[in-house]
Amino acid sequence: MHLDESMPASRESDDADWAAPIWAAIRDHLEGVKAPINRAIRDTPPPIPCCDARFNHLLEERSGIARELNRLEAACSQDFGPGREARAIADFLRTSPYIDEVTARTLAEDVPVA
């Protein structure tokens, strides 16, 4: 993903909760990516241990999304200083392997910038 790293420095809104809907939208996106993986794992016949590459790949993807959701929760719970939460959101969107560039740009539309 190549979300614009030269995004201008942000200005924080007077409303301290401006970022909550954006973090929630990111969480919803990641949960949406996770759901079909969970369905595929559930619907896959029991694997032969270490022999089912597709099943093992699905397990790896599910673990990766779980790590991203944990990273998201950690980011959401931080106490950001003025002007830093918008940068944190942009950085998360830019670095998440489960958020494509189009989705990242859409989610970033509501991030206040200078």
Side-chain angles (χ1 to χ4, degrees):
M1 170 182 336
H2 303 324
L3 187 63
D4 187 6
E5 293 183 37
S6 63
M7 190 177 209
S10 68
R11 61 173 164 70
E12 298 295 321
S13 170
D14 289 337
D15 178 10
D17 291 332
W18 68 265
I22 299 169
W23 288 121
I26 295 169
R27 183 179 300 105
D28 290 346
H29 174 77
L30 292 174
E31 291 289 350
V33 171
K34 182 174 81 170
I37 293 170
N38 283 340
R39 278 192 302 277
I41 289 170
R42 182 190 65 227
D43 296 342
T44 299
I48 299 169
C50 300
C51 294
D52 192 336
R54 179 179 181 272
F55 187 79
N56 291 337
H57 175 72
L58 290 170
L59 292 177
E60 289 173 21
E61 286 295 300
R62 182 174 67 179
S63 294
I65 295 204
R67 282 190 302 276
E68 277 302 280
L69 287 164
N70 288 336
R71 188 169 77 100
L72 174 69
E73 291 307 315
C76 290
S77 66
Q78 286 186 15
D79 185 17
F80 294 98
R84 294 195 176 155
E85 191 160 17
R87 173 53 65 192
I89 290 170
D91 288 345
F92 190 95
L93 292 171
R94 184 175 40 77
T95 60
S96 178
Y98 299 99
I99 300 175
D100 61 75
E101 188 171 343
V102 172
T103 301
R105 288 188 184 283
T106 300
L107 292 169
E109 287 176 355
D110 293 327
V111 176
V113 292

